[in-house]
Amino acid sequence: MIKGEDMNLSDFFNREQKKEEQEIAFPILSFGGKELKQSSPFFLVLENKGKGKAKISVKCSLKVCLPCDRCLTPVEVPLVLNFEREVYAPDAEMSEEEREEQQFMKEYELDLEELLREELQLSWPSKVLCSEECKGICSVCGQNLNEGDCECDSFVPDIRLAGLMDIFLGNE
């Protein structure tokens, strides 16, 4: 049934009450230039939901190593994919919006890799921190401030008050 990452669903669209569960290897090894590590089995359930309609259910846990957004220290981040999608046969009646949401379907072929990439994009963390107390890096010398302070001057004047500083410091 599986050819690479493509799955032919014509059997599921035409056979009422057909249901199949599979445990397969996660087909994506990297995403966004980062290596993905599978931390749980990848479960895929395909189920007929009427003529020309099927439901896909996916459950999997992954880990990816991403840099902390403040100090750039590598952080192992868990990602959980747990979703369901309804898909339709190419000859089934559906709205234009439903058709656009099925970019991962080519005729009767499910592009599993494309479907999972869409879901990974939705699950990808918007911010990664090594800890809530992360101090980041020095903007002058690049020292990781979690490992120790640096000797750099951290005073950053507010440019809106630069005129007042000139008056008080006599820099006319």
Side-chain angles (χ1 to χ4, degrees):
M1 174 160 197
I2 301 174
K3 299 177 205 162
E5 291 82 31
D6 290 344
M7 301 177 77
N8 189 316
L9 300 184
S10 57
D11 198 30
F12 284 93
F13 290 131
N14 297 319
R15 291 185 50 203
E16 298 272 335
Q17 305 302 314
K18 180 167 174 75
K19 183 176 182 177
E20 187 174 317
E21 296 181 25
Q22 299 179 14
E23 185 176 320
I24 59 177
F26 195 76
I28 302 172
L29 301 176
S30 67
F31 184 78
K34 305 296 179 191
E35 181 182 347
L36 297 174
K37 296 176 186 168
Q38 190 170 343
S39 58
S40 76
F42 176 69
F43 290 105
L44 177 70
V45 179
L46 299 166
E47 187 176 1
N48 177 282
K49 288 296 187 183
K51 184 130 176 82
K53 186 176 175 182
K55 180 173 84 172
I56 302 167
S57 303
V58 171
K59 290 182 184 176
C60 182
S61 296
L62 306 165
K63 290 183 182 175
V64 63
C65 193
L66 298 172
C68 173
D69 286 336
R70 291 183 188 159
C71 70
L72 305 177
T73 301
V75 179
E76 197 167 84
V77 179
L79 299 174
V80 177
L81 296 181
N82 187 1
F83 65 91
E84 293 180 347
R85 287 276 189 100
E86 285 192 351
V87 293
Y88 302 92
D91 54 351
E93 287 192 33
M94 64 181 118
S95 69
E96 190 61 36
E97 183 178 322
E98 288 172 322
R99 195 169 302 282
E100 286 178 17
E101 289 177 2
Q102 293 200 132
Q103 296 297 316
F104 48 86
M105 289 292 295
K106 308 291 185 251
E107 293 295 315
Y108 288 97
E109 298 288 321
L110 166 67
D111 185 343
L112 185 57
E113 187 172 329
E114 180 63 28
L115 173 64
L116 293 172
R117 285 190 184 283
E118 282 182 20
E119 291 298 325
L120 273 171
Q121 196 164 11
L122 294 172
S123 301
W124 204 254
S126 59
K127 186 168 191 161
V128 175
L129 295 177
C130 59
S131 74
E132 288 296 321
E133 296 79 34
C134 179
K135 297 176 183 177
I137 58 175
C138 173
S139 60
V140 177
C141 69
Q143 163 76 29
N144 184 337
L145 299 175
N146 297 313
E147 297 171 357
D149 292 330
C150 62
E151 301 298 319
C152 297
D153 183 11
S154 61
F155 175 72
V156 179
D158 188 335
I159 60 169
R160 297 171 295 182
L161 301 176
L164 287 176
M165 284 181 58
D166 288 343
I167 292 170
F168 289 114
L169 296 175
N171 299 334
E172 292 185 38

